[in-house]
Amino acid sequence: MTLYDDQTIQDLEAKAKTIRCHAIKMIYAAKSGHPGGSLSAADLITALFFKIMKHDPNNPHWEERDKFVLSKGHAAPSYYAALAECGYFPIDELLTLRKVDSNLQGHPCRQKTRGVEVSTGSLGQGLSMANGLALAAKLDRSGSRIYCICGDGELQEGQNWEAAMLAAQYKLDNLTLFIDRNKLQIDGPTEQVMSLEPLADKWLAFGWNLIEINGHDMRQILEACDKAKETTGKPTVIIANTIKGKGVSFMEGAIGFHGKAPNEDEYKIALKELGDCA
Amino acid sequence: MKWMYTSQRKEYANALTEVGKERTDVVVLDADLSSSTRTAEFAKNFPERFFNCGIAEQNMIGTAAGLAAAGKTVFASTFAAFATGRCWDQIRQAVAYSNLDVKIVATHAGITVGPDGATHQALEDIAIMRVLPNMTVIVPADGAETYKAIKAIANYKGPCYVRLGRSDVPLVTSMETPFEVGKASLLKEGSDITLAACGQMVAICLEAAEELESRGISAEVLNVSTIKPLDKDAIAKSVEKTGCIVTAEEHSIEGGLGSAVCEFLCETYSVPQQRIGTPACFGESGESDALMKKYGLTKEHVVEASEKVIRRKKQ
């Protein structure tokens, strides 16, 4: 188990704040997008791109790279912000999000965006694609690891459970799935719309290695990824308990900000809270 | 006409095994129907490159996309009804939108699935695959063409849908006749009418052409095995000569080959056209031959449509 010093943790926390700030700026400039889920997943995305994953922005097709699938494609702003901060494309490009002729589509598109592995947006499909990437890595005897982030509401799509069975059947221990458990979906709390609990029991029953963490605690995220790496013979799911809209006071736990851009006043407050990332 | 009957599924298995030998980057998926689709043959020869996904087609297509995104050429098979309708959104987002090298080879297409009935008779699959950007749609006429088509698409970049039947079908091509994705082939020359068909309807059109010949009508027969991209040049060249066309497919008259030809001709050569296909309704249980007769897919139906379209041409 790697020990992470305080400086590493603080640097990643600062980076996550930058990612959140970009996401808000992008959504404000686009006048549309999904702030709530972008902010809840920001710490997970930051940990993966700036610490956990082996990847090379100068060589996006490096064969031994680890691969990332954002199944909850609507959190694209945080994903794009991480890619830009890593150097996959210029940071200036972020403000073209959702505009005509942009490389940054409303949901991730592998044909358009440098560094994006698979196209997502129609929910419930990412884990299956992650399975395919993981099977290919096994076939190629590559050390490449596959990371996927699913939303919690998205788990209502039956395809996830088909995929959960396949990953266990083929012992995909090179696959780590994060569930961004922010407990809210468009129409309300997940437990009211279509209950997911007991969620941990479901994954255990499907034959997965289970870890449960606070998805905003950088040290817990890193250590969970390390535990997943050490697990053999089964895939790992990390239930990351998060807060929708995390980092912007009035967006936290607010269903209204699932898929709505902030207005000018809200935007100014949000930037103030996040510190300007420019 | 005396036909030799061939199995498209057997030739799929033969070609897939050949491709598997030639290329170690070829991977095959199935959804618990490998003994019916015959991908079991590939599984036997290359067990490490075959993944049974169980009865879960949506995940199979997503998994195929992931494997293809990692550089594999993936063949995914199950029955046509499930391979297309059940997972259309997965094909749309994960495969077609990403333009990945996934070859969906579906068997048991059309009304000749027979006794299993409407749930298992894919009559809309050409339509729903054809409307997807980046998708290539191929309906081989027989076993030989199936073999050649599978070999060809293994080296053809991008998503493909290949539609095969359950029953043995008449051999109308040969192993020697060339097959090229996107090219129709002229099987019989004629001057009064064009018969453009795919799948086993090609053989039925050849029989109809013989019958028409005895009635003094010279029919040209085109095997349009690639429905998308449509070989517009071949169709244009033929109708410029004949001035009318009948299309024939073991698929709904809505959205398939007939529609593709209509769409092309209505903006270029306005010639009379009749479509042979199942009426826009669901199928039912029955023996294949009885269903072909009831749903309008026989030589007699082609002959009748031909005479009708020729009358329209003369008006």
Side-chain angles (χ1 to χ4, degrees), chain A residues 57-101:
Chain A
N58 295 316
N59 182 12
H61 300 294
W62 174 41
E63 284 193 3
E64 288 298 307
R65 73 188 182 280
D66 293 337
K67 293 175 180 173
F68 175 68
V69 175
L70 183 66
S71 190
K72 47 173 290 183
H74 53 282
S78 291
Y79 184 14
Y80 296 153
L83 288 171
E85 282 284 333
C86 285
Y88 282 91
F89 49 83
I91 288 176
D92 292 351
E93 218 178 304
L94 289 176
L95 294 182
T96 68
L97 174 75
R98 289 177 167 247
K99 297 203 165 112
V100 73
D101 293 331

Short mmCIF file of all heavy atoms in Angstrom, two decimals, chain A residues 57-101:
data_model
loop_
_atom_site.label_atom_id
_atom_site.label_comp_id
_atom_site.label_asym_id
_atom_site.label_seq_id
_atom_site.Cartn_x
_atom_site.Cartn_y
_atom_site.Cartn_z
N PRO A 57 -0.34 12.41 -22.25
CA PRO A 57 -1.06 13.37 -23.10
C PRO A 57 -0.35 13.63 -24.43
O PRO A 57 -1.00 14.00 -25.41
CB PRO A 57 -1.09 14.64 -22.24
CG PRO A 57 -0.92 14.15 -20.84
CD PRO A 57 -0.03 12.96 -20.92
N ASN A 58 0.96 13.43 -24.48
CA ASN A 58 1.68 13.62 -25.75
C ASN A 58 1.53 12.42 -26.68
O ASN A 58 1.87 12.50 -27.84
CB ASN A 58 3.16 13.87 -25.48
CG ASN A 58 3.38 15.16 -24.73
OD1 ASN A 58 2.76 16.18 -25.07
ND2 ASN A 58 4.18 15.12 -23.68
N ASN A 59 1.06 11.33 -26.12
CA ASN A 59 0.90 10.11 -26.92
C ASN A 59 -0.37 9.40 -26.45
O ASN A 59 -0.32 8.38 -25.76
CB ASN A 59 2.14 9.21 -26.72
CG ASN A 59 2.08 7.95 -27.56
OD1 ASN A 59 1.23 7.84 -28.45
ND2 ASN A 59 2.94 6.99 -27.24
N PRO A 60 -1.53 9.97 -26.85
CA PRO A 60 -2.81 9.44 -26.34
C PRO A 60 -3.04 7.96 -26.67
O PRO A 60 -3.84 7.32 -26.02
CB PRO A 60 -3.86 10.31 -27.03
CG PRO A 60 -3.14 11.50 -27.52
CD PRO A 60 -1.73 11.09 -27.78
N HIS A 61 -2.34 7.45 -27.68
CA HIS A 61 -2.55 6.05 -28.07
C HIS A 61 -1.47 5.11 -27.53
O HIS A 61 -1.36 3.97 -27.99
CB HIS A 61 -2.67 5.93 -29.59
CG HIS A 61 -3.80 6.74 -30.14
ND1 HIS A 61 -5.12 6.44 -29.86
CD2 HIS A 61 -3.83 7.86 -30.90
CE1 HIS A 61 -5.91 7.34 -30.44
NE2 HIS A 61 -5.15 8.21 -31.07
N TRP A 62 -0.68 5.59 -26.58
CA TRP A 62 0.34 4.76 -25.94
C TRP A 62 -0.29 3.43 -25.51
O TRP A 62 -1.29 3.42 -24.80
CB TRP A 62 0.91 5.52 -24.71
CG TRP A 62 1.85 4.75 -23.88
CD1 TRP A 62 2.84 3.90 -24.30
CD2 TRP A 62 1.92 4.75 -22.44
NE1 TRP A 62 3.51 3.38 -23.22
CE2 TRP A 62 2.97 3.88 -22.07
CE3 TRP A 62 1.20 5.40 -21.43
CZ2 TRP A 62 3.32 3.65 -20.74
CZ3 TRP A 62 1.54 5.17 -20.10
CH2 TRP A 62 2.60 4.31 -19.76
N GLU A 63 0.29 2.34 -25.96
CA GLU A 63 -0.38 1.03 -25.79
C GLU A 63 -0.55 0.59 -24.34
O GLU A 63 -1.49 -0.11 -24.02
CB GLU A 63 0.38 -0.05 -26.58
CG GLU A 63 0.09 0.06 -28.06
CD GLU A 63 0.55 -1.13 -28.86
OE1 GLU A 63 1.05 -2.10 -28.25
OE2 GLU A 63 0.42 -1.08 -30.09
N GLU A 64 0.37 0.99 -23.50
CA GLU A 64 0.32 0.52 -22.12
C GLU A 64 -0.50 1.43 -21.19
O GLU A 64 -0.50 1.25 -19.97
CB GLU A 64 1.74 0.34 -21.56
CG GLU A 64 2.49 -0.85 -22.15
CD GLU A 64 1.80 -2.18 -21.83
OE1 GLU A 64 1.54 -2.45 -20.65
OE2 GLU A 64 1.52 -2.94 -22.78
N ARG A 65 -1.16 2.42 -21.77
CA ARG A 65 -1.88 3.39 -20.94
C ARG A 65 -3.05 2.73 -20.21
O ARG A 65 -3.61 1.74 -20.69
CB ARG A 65 -2.41 4.54 -21.80
CG ARG A 65 -3.60 4.17 -22.69
CD ARG A 65 -3.94 5.28 -23.66
NE ARG A 65 -5.10 4.97 -24.50
CZ ARG A 65 -5.09 4.21 -25.58
NH1 ARG A 65 -3.96 3.63 -25.97
NH2 ARG A 65 -6.19 4.01 -26.28
N ASP A 66 -3.42 3.31 -19.09
CA ASP A 66 -4.68 2.96 -18.45
C ASP A 66 -5.79 3.70 -19.19
O ASP A 66 -5.53 4.74 -19.81
CB ASP A 66 -4.65 3.36 -16.97
CG ASP A 66 -3.65 2.53 -16.17
OD1 ASP A 66 -3.31 1.42 -16.60
OD2 ASP A 66 -3.20 3.02 -15.11
N LYS A 67 -7.01 3.18 -19.10
CA LYS A 67 -8.09 3.78 -19.88
C LYS A 67 -9.27 4.15 -19.00
O LYS A 67 -9.57 3.47 -18.03
CB LYS A 67 -8.54 2.81 -20.98
CG LYS A 67 -7.45 2.59 -22.02
CD LYS A 67 -7.81 1.56 -23.04
CE LYS A 67 -6.67 1.42 -24.04
NZ LYS A 67 -6.89 0.32 -24.99
N PHE A 68 -9.93 5.24 -19.40
CA PHE A 68 -11.02 5.79 -18.59
C PHE A 68 -12.32 5.84 -19.40
O PHE A 68 -12.32 6.23 -20.56
CB PHE A 68 -10.64 7.20 -18.13
CG PHE A 68 -11.74 7.91 -17.38
CD1 PHE A 68 -12.15 7.47 -16.14
CD2 PHE A 68 -12.36 9.03 -17.93
CE1 PHE A 68 -13.17 8.13 -15.44
CE2 PHE A 68 -13.38 9.68 -17.25
CZ PHE A 68 -13.78 9.23 -16.00
N VAL A 69 -13.40 5.43 -18.75
CA VAL A 69 -14.73 5.50 -19.37
C VAL A 69 -15.65 6.30 -18.45
O VAL A 69 -15.85 5.92 -17.29
CB VAL A 69 -15.32 4.08 -19.56
CG1 VAL A 69 -16.75 4.17 -20.10
CG2 VAL A 69 -14.46 3.24 -20.49
N LEU A 70 -16.18 7.40 -18.95
CA LEU A 70 -17.14 8.18 -18.17
C LEU A 70 -18.54 7.74 -18.60
O LEU A 70 -19.11 8.27 -19.55
CB LEU A 70 -16.95 9.68 -18.42
CG LEU A 70 -17.87 10.58 -17.58
CD1 LEU A 70 -17.54 10.48 -16.09
CD2 LEU A 70 -17.79 12.03 -18.04
N SER A 71 -19.05 6.75 -17.89
CA SER A 71 -20.38 6.24 -18.29
C SER A 71 -21.44 7.32 -18.10
O SER A 71 -22.35 7.44 -18.91
CB SER A 71 -20.73 4.99 -17.49
OG SER A 71 -21.89 4.38 -18.03
N LYS A 72 -21.31 8.10 -17.01
CA LYS A 72 -22.25 9.22 -16.82
C LYS A 72 -21.71 10.39 -17.65
O LYS A 72 -21.09 11.33 -17.13
CB LYS A 72 -22.43 9.58 -15.34
CG LYS A 72 -21.17 9.71 -14.51
CD LYS A 72 -21.45 10.23 -13.10
CE LYS A 72 -21.87 11.69 -13.12
NZ LYS A 72 -22.09 12.26 -11.78
N GLY A 73 -21.97 10.29 -18.96
CA GLY A 73 -21.36 11.21 -19.91
C GLY A 73 -21.69 12.67 -19.69
O GLY A 73 -20.96 13.57 -20.14
N HIS A 74 -22.78 12.92 -18.94
CA HIS A 74 -23.18 14.32 -18.70
C HIS A 74 -22.22 15.04 -17.76
O HIS A 74 -22.28 16.26 -17.63
CB HIS A 74 -24.61 14.40 -18.19
CG HIS A 74 -24.88 13.55 -17.00
ND1 HIS A 74 -25.08 12.19 -17.09
CD2 HIS A 74 -24.99 13.85 -15.68
CE1 HIS A 74 -25.30 11.71 -15.87
NE2 HIS A 74 -25.23 12.69 -15.01
N ALA A 75 -21.30 14.28 -17.11
CA ALA A 75 -20.26 14.94 -16.29
C ALA A 75 -19.07 15.33 -17.16
O ALA A 75 -17.97 15.58 -16.65
CB ALA A 75 -19.83 14.03 -15.14
N ALA A 76 -19.28 15.43 -18.46
CA ALA A 76 -18.22 15.76 -19.42
C ALA A 76 -17.43 17.01 -19.05
O ALA A 76 -16.21 17.03 -19.26
CB ALA A 76 -18.82 15.89 -20.82
N PRO A 77 -18.04 18.08 -18.53
CA PRO A 77 -17.22 19.27 -18.24
C PRO A 77 -16.01 18.96 -17.34
O PRO A 77 -14.90 19.42 -17.62
CB PRO A 77 -18.22 20.22 -17.56
CG PRO A 77 -19.53 19.87 -18.20
CD PRO A 77 -19.48 18.37 -18.35
N SER A 78 -16.20 18.19 -16.28
CA SER A 78 -15.07 17.86 -15.41
C SER A 78 -14.05 16.98 -16.14
O SER A 78 -12.84 17.12 -15.95
CB SER A 78 -15.55 17.14 -14.14
OG SER A 78 -16.27 18.05 -13.33
N TYR A 79 -14.54 16.09 -16.96
CA TYR A 79 -13.67 15.20 -17.75
C TYR A 79 -12.82 16.03 -18.72
O TYR A 79 -11.59 15.90 -18.77
CB TYR A 79 -14.58 14.23 -18.51
CG TYR A 79 -13.95 13.14 -19.34
CD1 TYR A 79 -12.60 12.80 -19.24
CD2 TYR A 79 -14.75 12.42 -20.23
CE1 TYR A 79 -12.07 11.77 -20.01
CE2 TYR A 79 -14.24 11.39 -21.00
CZ TYR A 79 -12.90 11.07 -20.89
OH TYR A 79 -12.39 10.06 -21.66
N TYR A 80 -13.48 16.91 -19.47
CA TYR A 80 -12.74 17.76 -20.43
C TYR A 80 -11.74 18.66 -19.70
O TYR A 80 -10.62 18.86 -20.19
CB TYR A 80 -13.71 18.64 -21.22
CG TYR A 80 -14.69 17.90 -22.12
CD1 TYR A 80 -15.92 18.47 -22.45
CD2 TYR A 80 -14.38 16.65 -22.67
CE1 TYR A 80 -16.82 17.82 -23.28
CE2 TYR A 80 -15.28 16.00 -23.51
CZ TYR A 80 -16.51 16.58 -23.81
OH TYR A 80 -17.39 15.95 -24.63
N ALA A 81 -12.16 19.18 -18.54
CA ALA A 81 -11.27 20.06 -17.80
C ALA A 81 -10.00 19.30 -17.39
O ALA A 81 -8.88 19.82 -17.48
CB ALA A 81 -11.99 20.60 -16.56
N ALA A 82 -10.18 18.04 -16.95
CA ALA A 82 -9.02 17.23 -16.56
C ALA A 82 -8.13 16.95 -17.77
O ALA A 82 -6.89 17.06 -17.69
CB ALA A 82 -9.50 15.92 -15.94
N LEU A 83 -8.74 16.63 -18.91
CA LEU A 83 -7.95 16.36 -20.11
C LEU A 83 -7.14 17.60 -20.51
O LEU A 83 -5.96 17.51 -20.85
CB LEU A 83 -8.86 15.93 -21.28
CG LEU A 83 -9.47 14.52 -21.20
CD1 LEU A 83 -10.52 14.33 -22.30
CD2 LEU A 83 -8.41 13.43 -21.30
N ALA A 84 -7.79 18.76 -20.46
CA ALA A 84 -7.11 19.99 -20.84
C ALA A 84 -5.99 20.32 -19.85
O ALA A 84 -4.87 20.68 -20.26
CB ALA A 84 -8.10 21.15 -20.92
N GLU A 85 -6.27 20.19 -18.57
CA GLU A 85 -5.24 20.46 -17.55
C GLU A 85 -4.06 19.50 -17.69
O GLU A 85 -2.93 19.84 -17.37
CB GLU A 85 -5.84 20.37 -16.14
CG GLU A 85 -6.65 21.61 -15.73
CD GLU A 85 -5.78 22.81 -15.35
OE1 GLU A 85 -4.62 22.60 -14.91
OE2 GLU A 85 -6.24 23.95 -15.50
N CYS A 86 -4.32 18.29 -18.18
CA CYS A 86 -3.23 17.32 -18.41
C CYS A 86 -2.44 17.68 -19.66
O CYS A 86 -1.30 17.24 -19.83
CB CYS A 86 -3.79 15.91 -18.58
SG CYS A 86 -4.34 15.14 -17.06
N GLY A 87 -3.07 18.42 -20.59
CA GLY A 87 -2.37 18.81 -21.80
C GLY A 87 -2.82 18.10 -23.06
O GLY A 87 -2.13 18.11 -24.09
N TYR A 88 -3.98 17.45 -23.03
CA TYR A 88 -4.48 16.78 -24.24
C TYR A 88 -4.89 17.80 -25.31
O TYR A 88 -4.83 17.53 -26.49
CB TYR A 88 -5.66 15.86 -23.91
CG TYR A 88 -5.23 14.55 -23.30
CD1 TYR A 88 -5.11 14.41 -21.93
CD2 TYR A 88 -4.91 13.46 -24.10
CE1 TYR A 88 -4.70 13.22 -21.36
CE2 TYR A 88 -4.49 12.26 -23.55
CZ TYR A 88 -4.39 12.15 -22.17
OH TYR A 88 -3.96 10.97 -21.63
N PHE A 89 -5.35 18.96 -24.86
CA PHE A 89 -5.71 20.05 -25.79
C PHE A 89 -5.64 21.35 -25.01
O PHE A 89 -5.61 21.34 -23.76
CB PHE A 89 -7.09 19.82 -26.45
CG PHE A 89 -8.19 19.48 -25.49
CD1 PHE A 89 -8.87 20.49 -24.81
CD2 PHE A 89 -8.56 18.16 -25.26
CE1 PHE A 89 -9.90 20.19 -23.93
CE2 PHE A 89 -9.59 17.85 -24.37
CZ PHE A 89 -10.26 18.86 -23.70
N PRO A 90 -5.61 22.50 -25.70
CA PRO A 90 -5.44 23.77 -25.00
C PRO A 90 -6.59 24.10 -24.05
O PRO A 90 -7.76 23.82 -24.38
CB PRO A 90 -5.40 24.80 -26.14
CG PRO A 90 -5.09 24.04 -27.37
CD PRO A 90 -5.66 22.66 -27.16
N ILE A 91 -6.26 24.68 -22.92
CA ILE A 91 -7.28 25.03 -21.92
C ILE A 91 -8.30 26.01 -22.50
O ILE A 91 -9.48 25.94 -22.18
CB ILE A 91 -6.58 25.57 -20.65
CG1 ILE A 91 -5.91 24.39 -19.92
CG2 ILE A 91 -7.58 26.28 -19.71
CD1 ILE A 91 -5.11 24.73 -18.70
N ASP A 92 -7.85 26.88 -23.40
CA ASP A 92 -8.77 27.86 -24.04
C ASP A 92 -9.96 27.17 -24.71
O ASP A 92 -11.05 27.74 -24.82
CB ASP A 92 -8.03 28.63 -25.15
CG ASP A 92 -6.97 29.54 -24.58
OD1 ASP A 92 -6.96 29.70 -23.33
OD2 ASP A 92 -6.17 30.09 -25.36
N GLU A 93 -9.70 25.95 -25.19
CA GLU A 93 -10.74 25.24 -25.93
C GLU A 93 -11.94 24.89 -25.05
O GLU A 93 -13.04 24.66 -25.56
CB GLU A 93 -10.13 23.96 -26.52
CG GLU A 93 -10.64 23.62 -27.90
CD GLU A 93 -9.98 22.37 -28.46
OE1 GLU A 93 -8.74 22.33 -28.54
OE2 GLU A 93 -10.73 21.44 -28.81
N LEU A 94 -11.71 24.86 -23.74
CA LEU A 94 -12.79 24.44 -22.83
C LEU A 94 -14.05 25.29 -23.00
O LEU A 94 -15.17 24.79 -22.88
CB LEU A 94 -12.31 24.50 -21.37
CG LEU A 94 -11.29 23.43 -20.96
CD1 LEU A 94 -10.82 23.66 -19.53
CD2 LEU A 94 -11.86 22.02 -21.11
N LEU A 95 -13.87 26.57 -23.29
CA LEU A 95 -15.03 27.45 -23.37
C LEU A 95 -15.83 27.28 -24.66
O LEU A 95 -16.84 27.94 -24.87
CB LEU A 95 -14.61 28.91 -23.18
CG LEU A 95 -14.08 29.24 -21.77
CD1 LEU A 95 -13.73 30.72 -21.65
CD2 LEU A 95 -15.08 28.86 -20.69
N THR A 96 -15.39 26.36 -25.51
CA THR A 96 -16.18 26.06 -26.73
C THR A 96 -17.21 24.96 -26.47
O THR A 96 -17.97 24.60 -27.38
CB THR A 96 -15.27 25.59 -27.89
OG1 THR A 96 -14.72 24.30 -27.56
CG2 THR A 96 -14.15 26.57 -28.17
N LEU A 97 -17.24 24.45 -25.23
CA LEU A 97 -18.17 23.35 -24.90
C LEU A 97 -19.57 23.58 -25.46
O LEU A 97 -20.14 24.66 -25.29
CB LEU A 97 -18.25 23.22 -23.37
CG LEU A 97 -19.28 22.21 -22.83
CD1 LEU A 97 -18.79 20.80 -23.01
CD2 LEU A 97 -19.58 22.49 -21.36
N ARG A 98 -20.10 22.56 -26.10
CA ARG A 98 -21.50 22.54 -26.56
C ARG A 98 -21.79 23.54 -27.69
O ARG A 98 -22.95 23.77 -28.02
CB ARG A 98 -22.47 22.80 -25.39
CG ARG A 98 -22.55 21.64 -24.42
CD ARG A 98 -23.45 21.92 -23.24
NE ARG A 98 -23.72 20.68 -22.54
CZ ARG A 98 -24.92 20.08 -22.46
NH1 ARG A 98 -25.96 20.62 -23.01
NH2 ARG A 98 -25.06 18.94 -21.83
N LYS A 99 -20.74 24.16 -28.26
CA LYS A 99 -20.99 25.13 -29.34
C LYS A 99 -20.75 24.46 -30.69
O LYS A 99 -20.01 23.47 -30.78
CB LYS A 99 -20.10 26.35 -29.16
CG LYS A 99 -20.41 27.08 -27.85
CD LYS A 99 -19.99 28.54 -27.88
CE LYS A 99 -20.65 29.29 -26.73
NZ LYS A 99 -19.73 29.75 -25.71
N VAL A 100 -21.34 25.00 -31.72
CA VAL A 100 -21.22 24.38 -33.05
C VAL A 100 -19.75 24.37 -33.50
O VAL A 100 -19.00 25.30 -33.22
CB VAL A 100 -22.15 25.08 -34.07
CG1 VAL A 100 -21.64 26.44 -34.46
CG2 VAL A 100 -22.35 24.20 -35.30
N ASP A 101 -19.34 23.28 -34.11
CA ASP A 101 -17.98 23.05 -34.59
C ASP A 101 -16.97 22.78 -33.46
O ASP A 101 -15.77 22.67 -33.72
CB ASP A 101 -17.45 24.21 -35.44
CG ASP A 101 -18.19 24.35 -36.75
OD1 ASP A 101 -18.67 23.31 -37.26
OD2 ASP A 101 -18.30 25.48 -37.27
#
